[in-house]
Amino acid sequence: MSMQAPYSRMVRDIVFDTLAQQGRAPSIAEIARITGSETDEVQHALNQLADDHALVLSRDGDAIRMAHPFSAAPMAFVVTPSNGRDDRRWWGGCAWDSFGISAAVGIDVRIDSTCPLCGASLTVFAGPDMQPEGDYAVRFPRPAAEWWSDVVATCTMIRLFCNQGHAVEWTDEHAPGSGYIAEAATVWRLAQPWYGDRIAPDFTPHTRDFNQQLLQEVGLTGPFWRLP
Ligand SMILES: [Zn+2]
Ligand SMILES: [Zn+2]
């Protein structure tokens, strides 16, 4: 990971701040206006940030697609502040990201999704100090070493299931022998330190070793969880 130059850091912070505060990604023209720069400078900074895995661009490279834990487009999760007074909404890219939005923004949330096996509507409440209740399971489709080979596809497949049994049954039907099924509470616990500092002004990108330690601390160990 390269050091972030001050300009790309400014662009990065605008992207995350807009997603956190408004639930949408800023356009390139908008970032150019806010920073008083040309759109090709913004594009260059975004390309660099994408190379560093600080965010994900659209297929054509001219828009922000994801800035983990935020997604700029609908995916399988809707994240809503649970206090009833905050009218923000976010698209959760995956189960892990949905817990991560709560961790990053620092609020209790309601997460709505659907079980891929049985189609049941799932509603989970979680917060920085509120562990999700219930038997929910989260299935990871591929080993950590392969997540960023297509990170949007990876997130698309990190889904929440009613329980371990439904995750096992879905795997047997659609992708036998693949993936890893974790308890939702484990993924919630992982999301707190992984994403909790993401919109902090003094955020420093985590090193690989730091993130590996976070995985280990919640019991996600072995070859499947070895980061590249
Ligand atoms: Zn189900
Ligand atoms: Zn994700």
Side-chain angles (χ1 to χ4, degrees), residues 115 117-120 161-162 166:
C115 175
L117 182 80
C118 72
F161 290 79
C162 297
H166 280 197

Side-chain angles (χ1 to χ4, degrees), residues 4-80:
Q4 289 181 349
Y7 179 72
S8 47
R9 173 62 191 227
M10 199 190 318
V11 170
R12 181 249 175 228
D13 288 350
I14 290 166
V15 170
F16 278 81
D17 195 54
T18 306
L19 278 158
Q21 297 309 322
Q22 302 178 36
R24 66 174 186 91
S27 71
I28 290 174
E30 189 178 355
I31 299 169
R33 173 174 54 75
I34 295 168
T35 56
S37 50
E38 301 298 325
T39 53
D40 58 352
E41 290 175 86
V42 177
Q43 182 72 62
H44 181 77
L46 289 175
N47 293 347
Q48 192 184 337
L49 289 161
D51 286 346
D52 288 347
H53 295 176
L55 47 74
V56 183
L57 298 179
S58 64
R59 189 180 298 275
D60 295 316
D62 61 346
I64 292 142
R65 176 66 184 79
M66 299 186 78
H68 290 82
F70 303 103
S71 169
M75 294 174 80
F77 296 83
V78 177
V79 181
T80 310

Side-chain angles (χ1 to χ4, degrees), residues 148-213:
W148 279 86
S149 62
D150 183 344
V151 76
V152 174
T154 299
C155 280
T156 299
M157 295 305 293
I158 302 176
R159 295 287 298 269
L160 187 71
F161 290 79
C162 297
N163 50 48
Q164 167 111 3
H166 280 197
V168 169
E169 207 178 314
W170 188 94
T171 302
D172 289 347
E173 264 180 44
H174 298 279
S178 75
Y180 185 103
I181 299 164
E183 290 178 11
T186 300
V187 179
W188 168 82
R189 206 170 303 124
L190 174 65
Q192 305 311 310
W194 193 284
Y195 285 128
D197 57 354
R198 202 56 67 107
I199 61 171
D202 61 350
F203 170 73
T204 308
H206 296 178
T207 64
R208 177 209 172 273
D209 289 351
F210 182 81
N211 279 341
Q212 193 70 67
Q213 180 70 25

